[in-house]
């Protein structure tokens, strides 16, 4: 199966449980499991080739100029992690079906789970670090949804926010490191990067890249000092904890360290950072785990400890340690996922996870006890289970580690951490299952049905089989994965007995010490309770509180709602930057002569300057200001026309008409005058800043227009390729629909969103007291006696088909002459606006047949479909094509796909303008009021007529 399909299946399948939950919980569960099983089968079809040492690849040039390619590869390391993600995921899906209650939205849960699963599969399969970063952040977002799945629990919401904050911040750090790494090598493909170890480590940017990448890995894998988020994420449902915190999310950081091991390891910086952080995390997590009374908290800190163990092994930088790290990744996933599910069974049956309320459960839950005992003994490193094998390999690697010349430090701390690991593992067995049967359980427990015990039983079976027959069940995949990590073939021959080695003595010391520590648990607990220790959550909350207070202070100081303040800050900064540029740079001689000044442009300039000054002088009168702004817009349109830019002139004049009408409608609901809010001193300051900024901008424009540009203008390219590449003689239109079609597509999308936001705000306030106050307001001038004059009504209705004909003419000529979809959409909108103005909102609304939302959506979809059509022609998105056809009795004429894109622009612009108009008009519309006079729905006249009828 293609790697593209394997990576895409979970994302595509996420739709099914959300839809099929209506058919029942079994349907949602089976669809989720079916998608995961299909992806797993597809993965296993590639396994034989990978185990032979081959690398399966799938490549797609997406944005090659940016180095972003949709490249995937499957080697031994990717096969190992993808198998864990999909295999354990399949067991978790089955377990969750019987664990979640009927009140839990199971369809939503499975959709979140598949999204997370897809992100993890993407991480381990992708061969491009930019694509990897996308999947990396998707794991943080989807895990946020899973951890906070029980939204009714405050600790669930807080755990989700904490996990997202820590892992998201680490992700931002890693983005920087990965970009630096790609810059060093000159490629963002992992397969290329992994071939340049010497180049990377010789670069002066190696250290910052390494530190930034490791920060992301440490945050994701809960390494010190970022370890605190994982225990708080235990507020999630147990299936989430079993999946995210044993086999997937927390292993993402380990995967990336293993993936980058060939090029980043082998230096002192790598050893001291990775090895030391892993060692500290292993010991710290093990110590804290022993004294936790919540079953999931104990397992969470034990997970932190084992993640630290694997990190430490990768930090040692030796081949033997790397092989041990790969082997323990498998072993930890098997016994830890089963233990999490075991804790969920206990919670499900007893209604508590508090160890102090448990004990003696072996009498009531013998099957659960058996599964927990095997998994916990493996976690403790007791033979003959798989945990013993990888723990021996860890101790062997630690015995040969030299930390700054101190040969005993790492082995001693490794034994210390293993000792506590034995203690908390045995405590899980002794304090939960051993002892006398109690009679005060919150709920009477018993072994559950196979839906809950079978998934962990499968993993426990692997714990036993790998421990007894490691060369059969583990050696092939460990050898392939370790070869991918180290970059060459490795020899892996695990066994339960290697003779009397230092690792065996260290293991015996750890086991005996752990047993003695558990026997003295009461005294050890008293010492622990009396020890002063920092609380990670309190520190995190303090940091977040301080950062929030700082952000709030900056925001309130700068972003306080004062448009004047924003303008002042922007203009002062711009003027200062311009002053610095003019003062420090050099200005070459003039190379272009100015055009002679004639009477017409001089008159237009005076009108433009005069209208602008009048706006400043009379800005308190809103209506007059709007009229003067219209004059300025008209002069700009004439300037475009004078300077041979008819497309811009058409667009400007059309926009002016539409915006003036919409603003007049909005001003109808506002007071006539703007109140005085600024002092004379502030106005003087603002005038000075504006004058300086205006003169500076004018000087900059003059300097640029009278000199050659620093770089050749792109205009020559557009002029030369407008017809050859886009099939049109109108360069402006070809730029909009072809060369810069993506910009245009984004603009119509934003325009549609703005119109929908106006509609949403209007919809939200129509039922409030705001509309009532608007309807009851007293007009500041007497209303006209005839709100909808008959002559205007007749004229606009006659003009409407003519306006639409003009719009169609402007639309069809746009590719070769001034015009196009944008201008045509505005003209068509003006034709409809005239009907609203002449006959009123009520009359026009009754005759409206098409929803403006739908027109906007149709326009965006048509533009998008046209752009995607280029893919079927083997060209990039939004690349237009054209040809010539000849119909009988007609001349040969051109047909271009750009016309379809322009049609989308036309519909989006038309719909957006009319939706905004309709939204604002509804504030003053009173439904159900019919006028007694033709063409007149003036409410005041109706009221007068009613009074007259009552008088008669």
């Amino acid at each position: 199966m293609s790697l593209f399909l394997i990576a895409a299946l979970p994302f595509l399948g996420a739709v099914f449980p959300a839809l099929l939950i209506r058919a029942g919980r079994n349907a949602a569960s089976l669809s989720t499991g079916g998608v995961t099983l299909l992806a797993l089968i597809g993965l296993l079809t590639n396994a034989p080739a990978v185990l032979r040492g081959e690398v399966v690849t799938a490549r797609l040039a997406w944005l090659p100029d940016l180095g972003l390619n949709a490249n995937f590869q499957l080697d031994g390391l990717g096969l190992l992690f993808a198998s864990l993600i999909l295999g354990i995921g399949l067991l978790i899906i089955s377990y969750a079906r019987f664990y979640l209650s009927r009140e839990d939205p199971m369809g939503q849960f499975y959709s979140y789970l598949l999204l997370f699963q897809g992100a993890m599969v993407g991480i381990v399969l992708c061969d491009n670090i930019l694509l990897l970063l996308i999947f990396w952040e998707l794991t943080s977002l989807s895990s946020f949804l899973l951890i906070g799945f029980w939204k009714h629990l405050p600790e669930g919401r807080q755990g989700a926010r904490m996990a997202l904050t820590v892992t998201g911040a680490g992700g931002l750090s890693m983005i920087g490191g990965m970009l630096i790494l790609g810059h060093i090598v000159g490629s963002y493909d992992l397969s290329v990067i992994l071939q340049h170890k010497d180049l990377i480590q010789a670069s002066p940017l190696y250290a910052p890249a390494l530190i930034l990448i490791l920060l992301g890995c440490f945050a994701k894998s809960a390494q010190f000092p970022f370890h605190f988020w994982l225990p708080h994420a235990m507020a999630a449902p147990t299936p989430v904890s079993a999946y995210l915190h044993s086999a997937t999310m927390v292993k993402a950081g380990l995967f990336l360290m293993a993936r980058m091991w060939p090029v980043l390891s082998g230096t002192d910086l790598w050893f001291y950072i990775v090895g030391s952080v892993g060692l500290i995390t292993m010991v710290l997590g093990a110590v804290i785990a022993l004294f936790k009374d919540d079953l999931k908290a104990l397992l969470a800190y034990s997970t932190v400890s084992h993640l630290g163990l694997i990190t430490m092994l990768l930090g040692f930088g030796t081949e033997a340690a790397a092989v041990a790290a790969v082997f323990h990744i498998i072993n930890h996933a098997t016994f830890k996922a089963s233990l999490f599910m075991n804790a969920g069974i206990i919670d499900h049956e007893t209604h508590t996870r508090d160890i102090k309320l448990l004990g003696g459960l072996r009498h009531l839950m013998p099957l659960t006890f058996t599964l927990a005992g095997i998994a916990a003994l493996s976690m403790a490193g007791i033979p003959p289970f798989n945990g013993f094998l990888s723990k021996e390999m860890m101790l062997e690697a630690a015995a040969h580690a030299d930390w700054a010349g101190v040969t005993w430090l790492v082995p001693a701390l490794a034994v210390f951490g293993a000792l506590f690991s034995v203690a908390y593992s045995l405590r899980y067995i002794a304090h939960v299952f051993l002892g006398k049967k109690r009679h005060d359980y919150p709920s009477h427990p018993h072994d559950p049905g196979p839906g809950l015990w079978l998934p962990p039983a499968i993993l426990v079976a692997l714990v036993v089989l790998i421990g007894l027959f490691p060369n059969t069940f583990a050696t092939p995949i460990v050898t392939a994965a370790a070869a991918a990590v180290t970059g060459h073939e490795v020899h892996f021959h695990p066994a339960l007995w290697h003779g009397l080695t230092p690792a065996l003595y260290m293991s015996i010391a750890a086991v005996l010490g752990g047993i003695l520590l558990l026997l003295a648990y009461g005294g050890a607990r008293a010492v622990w309770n009396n020890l002063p220790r920092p609380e990670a959550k309190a520190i995190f909350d303090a940091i977040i509180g301080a950062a929030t207070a700082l952000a709030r202070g900056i925001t309130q100081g700068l972003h306080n709602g004062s448009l004047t303040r924003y303008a002042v800050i922007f203009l002062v900064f711009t003027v200062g930057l311009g002053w610095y540029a003019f003062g420090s740079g050099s200005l070459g001689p003039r190379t272009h002569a100015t055009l002679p000044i004639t009477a017409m442009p001089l008159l237009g300039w005076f009108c433009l300057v005069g209208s602008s000054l009048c706006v400043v002088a009379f800005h308190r009168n809103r209506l007059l200001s709007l009229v003067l702004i219209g004059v300025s817009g008209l002069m700009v349109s004439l300037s475009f026309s004078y300077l041979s830019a008819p497309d811009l002139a058409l667009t400007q004049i059309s926009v002016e008409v539409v915006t003036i009408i919409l603003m007049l409608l909005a001003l109808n609901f506002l007071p006539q005058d703007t109140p005085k809010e600024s002092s004379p001193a502030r106005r003087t300051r603002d005038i000075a800043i504006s004058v300086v900024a205006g003169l500076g901008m004018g000087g900059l424009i003059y300097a640029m227009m009278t000199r050659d540009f620093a770089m050749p203008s792109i205009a020559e390219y557009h002029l030369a390729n407008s017809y050859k590449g886009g099939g049109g003689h109108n360069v402006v239109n070809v730029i909009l629909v072809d060369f810069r079609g993506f910009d245009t597509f984004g603009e119509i999308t934003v325009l549609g969103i703005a119109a929908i936001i106006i509609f949403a705000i209007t919809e939200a306030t129509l039922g409030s007291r705001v509309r009532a106050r608007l309807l009851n307001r007293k007009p500041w001038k007497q209303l006209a006696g005839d709100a909808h004059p008959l002559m205007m009504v007749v004229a606009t209705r006659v003009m409407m088909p003519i306006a639409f004909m003009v719009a169609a003419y402007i639309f069809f000529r746009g590719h070769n002459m001034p015009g196009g979809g944008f201008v045509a959409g505005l003209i068509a909108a003006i034709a409809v606006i005239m009907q609203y103005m002449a006959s009123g909102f009520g009359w026009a609304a009754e005759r409206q047949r098409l929803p403006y939302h739908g027109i906007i959506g149709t326009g965006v979809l048509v533009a998008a479909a046209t752009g995607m059509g280029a893919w079927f022609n083997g060209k990039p998105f939004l690349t237009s094509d054209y040809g010539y056809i000849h119909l009988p009795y007609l001349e040969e004429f051109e047909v271009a796909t750009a016309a379809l894109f322009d049609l989308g622009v036309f519909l989006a612009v038309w719909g957006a303008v009319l939706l905004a108009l309709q939204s604002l008009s509804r504030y003053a519309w009173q439904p159900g009021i019919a006028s007694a006079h033709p063409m007149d729905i003036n409410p005041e006249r109706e009221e007068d007529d009613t009074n007259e009828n009552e008088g008669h």
Side-chain angles (χ1 to χ4, degrees):
M1 183 182 289
S2 168
L3 298 184
F4 290 125
L5 184 56
I6 295 173
L9 271 174
F11 293 110
L12 299 175
V15 179
F16 294 119
L19 297 176
L20 293 178
I21 190 61
R22 296 178 179 272
R25 294 156 62 88
N26 289 333
S29 176
L30 289 174
S31 65
T32 308
V35 168
T36 303
L37 179 61
L38 184 59
L40 180 59
I41 292 173
L43 180 73
L44 295 179
T45 59
N46 295 289
V50 174
L51 295 178
R52 290 195 302 266
E54 300 175 15
V55 177
V56 180
T57 60
R59 302 186 179 278
L60 175 66
W62 186 8
L63 297 174
D65 292 343
L66 299 179
L68 180 55
N69 299 313
N71 294 345
F72 291 88
Q73 69 169 3
L74 181 66
D75 58 3
L77 185 64
L79 178 64
L80 167 61
F81 274 89
S83 300
L84 291 176
I85 294 164
L86 296 173
I88 295 181
L90 193 60
L91 299 177
I92 294 298
I93 291 166
S94 173
Y95 179 85
R97 162 61 185 87
F98 300 94
Y99 180 87
L100 296 176
S101 69
R102 293 191 175 277
E103 289 72 28
D104 293 322
M106 185 173 288
Q108 186 182 94
F109 175 84
Y110 280 136
S111 292
Y112 293 164
L113 193 71
L114 285 176
L115 289 175
F116 174 79
Q117 184 184 99
M120 281 300 306
V121 171
I123 286 177
V124 301
L125 294 186
C126 69
D127 184 35
N128 184 278
I129 58 176
L130 300 180
L131 188 61
L132 185 146
L133 292 172
I134 296 173
F135 286 122
W136 188 276
E137 295 305 322
L138 281 177
T139 60
S140 296
L141 294 174
S142 52
S143 66
F144 170 80
L145 298 174
L146 287 169
I147 296 171
F149 178 72
W150 281 339
K151 297 180 281 291
H152 60 283
L153 298 178
E155 56 269 25
R157 299 193 300 269
Q158 185 184 53
R161 290 195 300 268
M162 185 181 292
L164 180 63
T165 302
V166 175
T167 60
L172 293 175
S173 169
M174 198 178 73
I175 289 174
M178 286 296 194
L179 292 177
I180 294 175
L181 198 62
H183 173 73
I184 295 173
V185 177
S187 173
Y188 294 107
D189 288 342
L190 267 171
S191 53
V192 177
I193 292 174
L194 295 179
Q195 298 174 4
H196 292 83
K197 176 179 180 178
D198 295 336
L199 176 64
I200 292 172
Q201 295 189 0
S203 171
L205 298 176
Y206 166 73
L210 175 65
I211 293 172
L212 290 172
I213 292 172
L214 289 178
L215 284 174
C217 295
F218 292 162
K220 187 73 80 172
S221 290
Q223 297 298 287
F224 176 85
F226 309 111
H227 61 284
F228 57 87
W229 72 262
L230 194 149
H232 288 281
M234 292 300 114
T238 297
V240 175
S241 303
Y243 194 41
L244 269 66
H245 306 138
S246 65
T248 53
M249 180 177 177
V250 294
K251 296 285 176 63
L254 302 181
F255 167 81
L256 192 59
M257 284 188 282
R259 176 60 79 197
M260 306 306 297
W261 194 90
V263 294
L264 297 182
S265 68
T267 63
D268 290 341
L269 188 62
W270 170 273
F271 172 78
Y272 285 111
I273 294 179
V274 180
S276 301
V277 168
L279 184 59
I280 294 171
T281 306
M282 182 184 75
V283 174
L284 183 64
V287 172
I288 298 175
L290 178 62
F291 302 106
K292 287 296 177 181
D293 293 322
D294 184 288
L295 284 176
K296 288 179 67 175
L298 184 154
L299 294 176
Y301 278 104
S302 74
T303 299
V304 170
S305 178
H306 281 268
L307 295 174
L309 182 157
I310 300 170
T311 301
M312 177 188 71
L313 288 172
L314 292 172
F316 286 163
T318 63
E319 179 183 313
V323 174
V326 170
F327 189 30
H328 196 68
I329 286 172
I330 300 174
N331 296 337
H332 177 259
T334 54
F335 65 67
K336 188 54 62 67
S338 64
L339 282 172
F340 268 117
M341 287 190 273
N342 189 273
I345 292 173
I346 296 171
D347 185 19
H348 190 270
E349 297 298 326
T350 65
H351 294 179
T352 184
R353 299 198 308 260
D354 191 343
I355 297 178
K356 293 180 292 185
L357 301 179
L358 300 172
L361 290 181
R362 79 180 191 280
H363 302 287
L364 302 172
M365 307 174 69
L367 179 58
T368 305
F369 165 60
T370 302
L371 297 176
I374 295 174
L377 289 176
S378 178
M379 182 167 64
I382 305 298
F385 306 115
N386 60 354
F388 169 76
L389 298 174
S390 52
K391 186 194 72 171
E392 292 286 290
M393 296 175 67
M394 180 272 292
L395 293 174
E396 182 68 28
H400 296 89
D402 183 345
W403 201 93
V406 182
T407 57
W408 58 267
L409 181 61
V410 174
L413 289 177
V415 171
F416 186 76
L419 184 151
F420 272 86
S421 177
V422 172
Y424 65 65
S425 300
L426 296 180
R427 185 186 176 217
Y428 187 94
I429 299 173
H431 290 188
V432 176
F433 293 99
L434 301 184
K436 295 182 180 180
K437 181 173 64 174
R438 301 176 60 161
H439 301 283
D440 58 347
Y441 299 114
S443 178
H444 184 71
H446 57 79
D447 276 326
L452 287 179
W453 65 256
L454 186 57
I458 294 174
L459 293 173
V460 169
L462 289 175
V463 167
V464 176
L465 291 173
I466 293 175
L468 295 176
F469 311 104
N471 290 302
T472 301
F473 291 94
T475 295
I477 185 64
V478 172
T479 302
V485 173
T486 60
H488 54 80
E489 185 179 354
V490 299
H491 300 283
F492 176 64
H493 302 290
L496 289 171
W497 176 253
H498 285 285
L500 299 175
T501 61
L504 179 63
Y505 296 127
M506 295 166 69
S507 181
I508 293 173
V511 172
L512 294 177
I515 295 173
L516 293 175
L517 180 59
L518 184 62
L519 293 175
Y521 179 77
R525 181 63 179 261
V527 173
W528 174 258
N529 291 337
N530 292 324
L531 281 177
R533 55 186 183 274
E535 180 61 40
K537 180 179 180 300
I539 297 173
F540 173 81
D541 290 340
I543 293 174
I544 295 298
T548 303
L550 177 62
R552 184 180 294 113
I554 295 174
T555 302
Q556 292 177 348
L558 298 176
H559 198 278
N560 64 345
S562 172
L563 298 179
T564 305
R565 174 174 294 190
Y566 304 158
V568 166
I569 294 174
F570 174 76
L571 288 177
V572 168
F573 176 79
T574 304
V575 169
L577 193 63
W579 184 269
Y580 171 78
F582 273 106
S584 59
S586 58
L587 193 63
R590 289 174 51 185
T591 56
H592 300 287
T594 58
L595 296 176
I597 301 176
T598 58
M600 188 59 69
L602 186 62
L603 178 61
W605 182 83
F606 274 113
C607 291
L608 183 60
V609 173
S611 62
S612 302
L613 292 175
C614 288
V615 169
V616 176
F618 304 108
H619 73 276
R620 300 199 188 280
N621 188 316
R622 287 171 166 158
L623 180 59
L624 180 58
S625 299
L626 187 58
V627 173
L628 292 169
I629 289 174
V631 173
S632 299
L634 177 61
M635 298 313 303
V636 171
S637 302
L638 293 175
S639 300
F640 286 145
S641 178
Y642 178 79
L643 295 172
S644 301
D647 274 288
L648 296 180
L650 274 173
T651 304
Q652 177 68 28
I653 194 67
S654 303
V655 169
E656 281 297 320
V657 173
V658 170
T659 53
I660 291 297
I661 292 174
L662 291 177
M663 292 177 71
L664 276 171
L665 184 58
L667 290 183
N668 185 44
F669 305 116
L670 297 174
Q672 178 188 7
D673 299 319
T674 302
K676 292 184 179 181
E677 297 176 345
S678 303
S679 63
R682 174 173 291 186
R683 290 199 296 272
T684 303
R685 179 206 66 184
D686 294 344
I687 290 173
I689 294 174
S690 301
V691 169
V692 172
L695 291 175
M697 182 56 68
L700 177 62
I701 294 172
Y702 179 80
M704 292 183 64
M705 297 297 291
T706 56
R707 289 164 176 81
D708 291 328
F709 293 136
M711 294 175 288
S713 173
I714 198 173
E716 297 299 329
Y717 172 82
H718 288 151
L719 289 170
N721 292 277
S722 173
Y723 182 75
K724 292 189 298 182
H729 294 285
N730 183 0
V731 182
V732 174
N733 183 265
V734 174
I735 290 173
L736 292 176
V737 300
D738 192 321
F739 295 126
R740 302 290 296 273
F742 206 85
D743 290 349
T744 306
F745 181 70
E747 288 164 4
I748 63 172
T749 304
V750 171
L751 183 63
I753 292 172
I756 292 173
I757 290 174
I758 294 174
F759 171 81
I761 295 174
T762 306
E763 190 73 16
T765 56
L766 276 177
S768 65
R769 288 180 291 180
V770 173
R771 183 167 180 267
R773 291 177 60 186
L774 290 174
L775 290 175
N776 295 326
R777 74 194 189 284
K778 296 296 182 182
W780 56 275
K781 280 188 178 182
Q782 183 178 359
L783 296 175
D786 194 357
H788 305 290
L790 180 61
M791 184 174 293
M792 184 176 180
V793 171
V794 174
T796 53
R797 292 184 192 175
V798 171
M799 291 174 62
M800 186 173 182
I802 300 175
F804 274 119
M805 187 182 301
V806 172
Y809 173 70
I810 292 294
F811 174 83
F812 285 112
R813 78 197 293 262
H815 208 49
N816 292 293
M817 300 181 70
F822 192 90
V823 177
L826 292 173
I827 294 174
I830 293 171
V832 180
I833 288 174
M834 286 162 39
Q835 307 307 311
Y836 281 92
M837 293 173 58
S839 302
F841 178 82
W843 182 90
E846 288 178 359
R847 289 154 179 81
Q848 177 189 340
R849 296 291 182 267
L850 299 175
Y852 297 135
H853 310 74
I855 294 175
I856 296 172
T858 302
V860 175
L861 289 177
V862 168
T866 304
M868 289 186 289
W871 293 341
F872 298 97
N873 200 25
K875 296 182 179 179
F877 180 64
L878 283 174
T879 301
S880 64
D881 203 351
Y882 66 96
Y884 293 89
I885 63 175
H886 180 79
L887 295 178
Y889 308 109
L890 293 177
E891 292 184 358
E892 185 180 66
F893 60 93
E894 178 187 350
V895 176
T897 59
L900 290 175
F901 181 81
D902 230 5
L903 177 62
V905 175
F906 170 86
L907 293 173
V909 171
W910 186 35
V913 172
L914 294 180
L915 181 60
L917 170 77
Q918 183 191 58
S919 301
L920 293 174
S921 299
R922 288 195 302 166
Y923 277 126
W925 180 45
Q926 302 184 56
I929 296 180
S931 175
H933 299 270
M935 311 287 183
D936 189 356
I937 57 169
N938 185 350
E940 288 192 352
R941 176 174 290 182
E942 299 242 351
E943 184 178 350
D944 294 340
D945 291 348
T946 302
N947 294 334
E948 290 179 9
N949 292 333
E950 291 177 355
H952 289 297

